């Protein structure tokens, strides 16, 4: 009898303590002054997922935006040489309508616009990998590699072996990979590079108890810089599926090789991330060499992260959408826009702009895909055209507008990319690049099905309920 009494007392004490913790956590969420939609999503999770909701919040919900990963003084030193090069440029010839966007990125993000660049665009992993290896073998001074995923498979080992060859030749090689993105990769894979003199670091190591403070903020960037003159940026990681595809088809992605002074932006992004992890700041001229004019592309490298006060890339995309006059095309594997971006897309479509969004018909993540589908009906009601890619999985993050503006990078059109991840995009302000990316979009469109609102509304009630329920979690995915 006494055991039963003590058992009831223990359970009562547990529930009182648990609900006290839940109520306290809810107040913390409210006082954080987040987006009301996100605040309500966390409150629902905390109340309707006992224990699991609290654990989920501790791992993914706490805001650490005020964490300073790099000092203003250090960043100023890092950008000193690119700034000097930028100031010596002749006037950049960009469309008048896009000057405001360019200035926004310059003022808020410190992204310097450079002219005289050349761009090569890749739409499959095999061609990008072939060119990447070719450029790596040409390296004379340094190679900087930064990927969300650097897999221990045929592709990852091929690139690793090339890096080892260059390190043996005396080229300084640094590799930065995301700790969560490479969770399944054995330490032996990276140790082989370390033993050859390559500096390898993981971004924001996830270790308990620090685990809960870092797992939510991941480095999603895909950057390669070779001798400070050639750079790669886009949506492709180093993994075999980017070349061989997935069981249901091709893996369609977009990446770019950049040549010219715009590579300074990629170099700055890499060295900033390296400093944040290693506290070693590289600012010497050898990392920002003098570069001749390579083409006529005006470009900026824009980064975003959860540390700063502004959501740089998200706000820039809103400006680009709102300034579109004829068309705005988007390719994204996941579509979970915040209220501002969603409204901007709908408003543009209602104003007569040809807004098209291309998504995969089948995605690699069931939960996020279901949440993405929940947004489609309201987009189509505003006149946005939705295309579902049927040839495989489209992982491309490409946007193009009015034959004047375009961007390629790592940023998905979702909450995580806009608010939590460290991302990097190349923004272009020239007709040739925009026209080329527009043609890529239109070519992919031939492998898509165009959704009809009338047909879409007839899908099963089970699908509608599932999508709506999962959408409640979309700000947290």
């Amino acid at each position: 009898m006494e055991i039963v009494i003590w058992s009831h007392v223990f359970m009562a004490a547990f529930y009182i303590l648990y609900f006290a913790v839940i109520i306290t956590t809810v107040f913390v969420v409210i006082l954080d002054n987040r987006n009301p939609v996100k605040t309500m999503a966390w409150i629902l999770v905390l109340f309707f997922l006992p224990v699991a909701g609290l654990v989920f919040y501790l791992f993914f919900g706490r805001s650490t935006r005020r964490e300073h990963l790099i000092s203003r003084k250090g960043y100023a030193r890092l950008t000193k040489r690119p700034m000097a090069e930028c100031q010596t440029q002749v006037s950049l010839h960009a469309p008048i309508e896009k000057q405001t966007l360019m200035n926004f990125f310059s003022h808020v993000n410190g992204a310097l616009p450079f002219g005289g660049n050349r761009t090569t665009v890749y739409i499959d992993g095999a061609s990008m990998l072939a060119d990447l290896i070719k450029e790596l073998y040409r390296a004379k001074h340094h190679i900087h590699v930064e990927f969300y995923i650097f897999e221990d498979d045929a592709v990852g080992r091929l690139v690793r072996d090339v890096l080892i060859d260059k390190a043996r030749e005396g080229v300084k090689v640094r590799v930065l990979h995301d700790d969560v993105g490479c969770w399944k990769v054995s330490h032996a894979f990276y140790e082989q590079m370390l033993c050859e003199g390559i500096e390898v670091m993981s971004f924001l190591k996830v270790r308990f108890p620090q685990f809960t403070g870092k797992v939510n903020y991941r480095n999603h960037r895909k950057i390669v810089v070779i001798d400070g003159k050639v750079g790669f940026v886009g949506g492709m990681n180093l993994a075999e599926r980017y070349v061989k595809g997935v069981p249901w088809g091709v893996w369609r992605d977009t990446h770019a090789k950049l040549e010219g002074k715009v590579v300074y932006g990629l170099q700055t992004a890499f060295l900033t991330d390296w400093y944040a992890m290693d506290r070693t700041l590289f600012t010497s001229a050898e990392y920002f060499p003098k570069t001749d004019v390579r083409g006529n592309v005006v470009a900026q490298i824009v980064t975003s992260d959860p540390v700063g006060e502004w959501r740089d890339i998200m706000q820039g995309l809103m400006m680009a959408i709102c300034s579109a006059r004829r068309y705005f095309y988007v390719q994204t594997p996941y579509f979970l826009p915040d209220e501002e971006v969603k409204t901007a897309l709908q408003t543009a479509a209602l104003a007569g702009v040809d807004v098209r969004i291309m998504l995969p018909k089948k995605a690699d993540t069931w939960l996020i895909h279901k949440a993405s589908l929940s947004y489609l009906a309201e987009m189509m009601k505003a006149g946005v055209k939705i295309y579902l890619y049927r040839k495989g999985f489209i992982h491309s993050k490409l946007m193009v507008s009015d034959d004047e503006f375009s961007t390629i990078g790592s940023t998905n059109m979702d909450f995580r990319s806009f608010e939590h991840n460290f991302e990097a995009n190349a923004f272009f302000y020239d007709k040739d690049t925009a026209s080329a990316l527009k043609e890529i979009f239109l070519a992919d469109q031939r492998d898509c099905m165009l959704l009809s609102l009338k047909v879409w509304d007839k899908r099963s009630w089970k699908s509608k309920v599932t999508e709506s329920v999962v959408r409640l979690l979309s700000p947290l995915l």
Side-chain angles (χ1 to χ4, degrees):
M1 184 67 178
E2 186 176 343
I3 294 175
V4 174
I5 293 173
W6 277 108
S7 175
H8 281 84
V9 170
F10 174 79
M11 290 301 295
F14 171 80
Y15 283 122
I16 291 171
L17 179 61
Y18 177 76
F19 281 109
V21 172
I22 290 295
I23 296 299
T24 302
T25 305
V26 168
F27 273 108
V28 170
V29 172
I30 293 172
L31 292 173
D32 201 29
N33 289 324
R34 307 180 189 207
N35 183 311
V37 175
K38 180 173 286 190
T39 299
M40 287 305 301
W42 276 120
I43 291 174
L44 288 171
V45 167
L46 289 167
F47 273 112
F48 291 102
L49 291 177
V51 182
L54 183 60
V55 173
F56 194 58
Y57 174 77
L58 291 174
F59 278 62
F60 299 102
R62 294 187 300 166
S63 177
T64 57
R65 287 182 181 174
R66 296 172 182 86
E67 178 185 11
H68 295 289
L69 297 180
I70 184 169
S71 67
R72 289 182 179 274
K73 184 178 180 181
Y75 188 77
R77 288 177 58 196
L78 190 56
T79 58
K80 186 176 180 180
R81 294 181 188 279
M83 181 65 76
E85 289 292 329
C86 184
Q87 291 172 343
T88 60
Q89 291 185 118
V90 296
S91 297
L92 297 175
H93 298 288
I96 299 299
E97 297 83 359
K98 307 305 175 187
Q99 286 283 357
T100 303
L101 178 62
M102 190 187 297
N103 293 337
F104 169 80
F105 284 139
S106 297
H107 296 155
V108 175
N109 189 259
L112 303 175
F114 288 100
N117 305 289
R118 181 165 61 200
T119 304
T120 305
V121 178
Y122 309 97
I123 58 174
D124 66 278
S127 59
M128 191 282 287
L129 184 64
D131 254 19
L132 173 63
I133 291 172
K134 187 186 302 181
E135 294 294 346
L136 289 174
Y137 271 122
R138 290 174 177 169
K140 301 298 182 184
H141 180 263
H142 68 270
I143 296 171
H144 292 157
V145 175
E146 178 175 356
F147 282 94
Y148 177 65
I149 297 172
F150 195 151
E151 198 69 80
D152 183 7
D153 59 16
V155 169
R157 289 190 290 272
L158 175 61
V159 175
R160 179 200 61 187
D161 292 345
V162 174
L163 297 178
I164 289 173
D165 288 344
K166 298 308 294 183
R168 288 173 178 172
E169 293 176 11
V171 174
K172 189 62 183 177
V173 181
R174 298 181 178 92
V175 174
L176 186 61
H177 62 89
D178 187 78
D179 201 54
V180 172
C182 298
W183 232 340
K184 297 180 181 179
V185 181
S186 68
H187 293 295
F189 177 75
Y190 299 113
E191 285 172 1
Q192 189 168 348
M193 286 190 276
L194 287 166
C195 290
E196 296 289 347
I198 296 174
E199 295 183 53
V200 182
M201 285 198 303
S202 59
F203 191 85
L204 289 182
K205 285 186 178 180
V206 177
R207 300 291 182 268
F208 190 83
Q210 293 84 2
F211 183 95
T212 57
K214 296 178 179 179
V215 69
N216 203 33
Y217 301 103
R218 306 318 317 161
N219 194 321
H220 197 236
R221 295 169 183 164
K222 293 90 174 168
I223 293 173
V224 177
V225 179
I226 300 163
D227 291 342
K229 296 180 179 180
V230 177
F232 289 79
V233 66
M236 298 184 193
N237 287 293
L238 295 178
E240 196 169 357
R241 61 184 174 274
Y242 287 79
V243 176
K244 287 193 171 182
V246 287
W248 64 92
V250 301
W251 186 290
R252 211 349 238 116
D253 217 325
T254 309
H255 218 78
K257 178 172 73 174
L258 307 179
E259 299 169 86
K261 292 182 181 180
V262 71
V263 178
Y264 294 162
L266 292 176
Q267 187 78 288
T268 301
F270 177 88
L271 294 177
T272 300
D273 289 345
W274 190 267
Y275 173 81
M277 296 300 101
D278 189 58
R279 291 303 172 193
T280 303
L281 190 65
F282 299 100
T283 60
S284 61
E286 56 196 4
Y287 293 106
F288 299 95
K290 294 286 184 181
T291 303
D292 297 329
V293 172
R294 305 302 299 272
N296 57 5
V297 177
V298 176
Q300 282 175 296
I301 301 299
V302 183
T303 59
S304 66
D305 55 59
V307 180
E309 182 178 1
W310 308 108
R311 307 278 63 84
D312 304 2
I313 290 180
M314 184 205 78
Q315 291 175 271
L317 290 178
M318 284 177 57
M319 291 182 65
I321 295 166
C322 292
S323 65
R325 295 295 175 262
R326 293 187 291 115
Y327 72 87
F328 196 94
Y329 297 165
V330 178
Q331 286 183 335
T332 179
Y334 317 114
F335 185 67
L336 289 80
D338 56 15
E339 197 64 28
E340 294 84 354
V341 171
K342 185 185 74 171
T343 302
L345 289 167
Q346 290 173 315
T347 303
L350 289 168
V353 176
D354 180 11
V355 180
R356 304 183 189 185
I357 299 173
M358 190 179 296
L359 299 164
K361 186 175 185 294
K362 183 177 180 180
D364 61 338
T365 306
W366 180 87
L367 195 67
I368 298 177
H369 188 57
K370 282 295 181 183
S372 296
L373 296 179
S374 73
Y375 288 89
L376 302 189
E378 57 193 300
M379 300 306 294
M380 285 188 282
K381 286 177 183 177
V384 176
K385 298 181 182 70
I386 303 295
Y387 293 87
L388 297 184
Y389 188 75
R390 298 181 295 183
K391 197 175 178 181
F393 177 53
I394 189 161
H395 189 254
S396 171
K397 306 94 165 52
L398 178 157
M399 299 178 206
V400 58
S401 174
D402 293 351
D403 294 346
E404 296 175 343
F405 157 83
S406 56
T407 180
I408 297 172
S410 63
T411 308
N412 298 313
M413 194 163 274
D414 62 12
F415 288 92
R416 180 152 298 281
S417 276
F418 289 156
E419 299 189 16
H420 297 302
N421 287 343
F422 292 76
E423 305 282 6
N425 269 53
F427 284 80
F428 308 105
Y429 307 93
D430 71 288
K431 185 173 182 178
D432 290 343
T433 305
S435 297
L437 296 183
K438 178 184 178 182
E439 289 304 314
I440 289 172
F441 184 97
L442 294 176
D444 288 331
Q445 190 174 289
R446 291 193 284 271
D447 294 314
C448 294
M449 59 180 290
L450 173 62
L451 280 190
S452 160
L453 181 59
K454 186 177 181 180
V455 173
W456 185 245
D457 281 340
K458 291 180 180 178
R459 70 195 188 284
S460 69
W461 66 268
K462 183 179 178 181
S463 295
K464 292 179 181 179
V465 170
T466 303
E467 292 162 12
S468 297
V469 171
V470 174
R471 178 173 172 158
L472 294 174
L473 302 176
S474 61
L476 318 180
L477 297 176

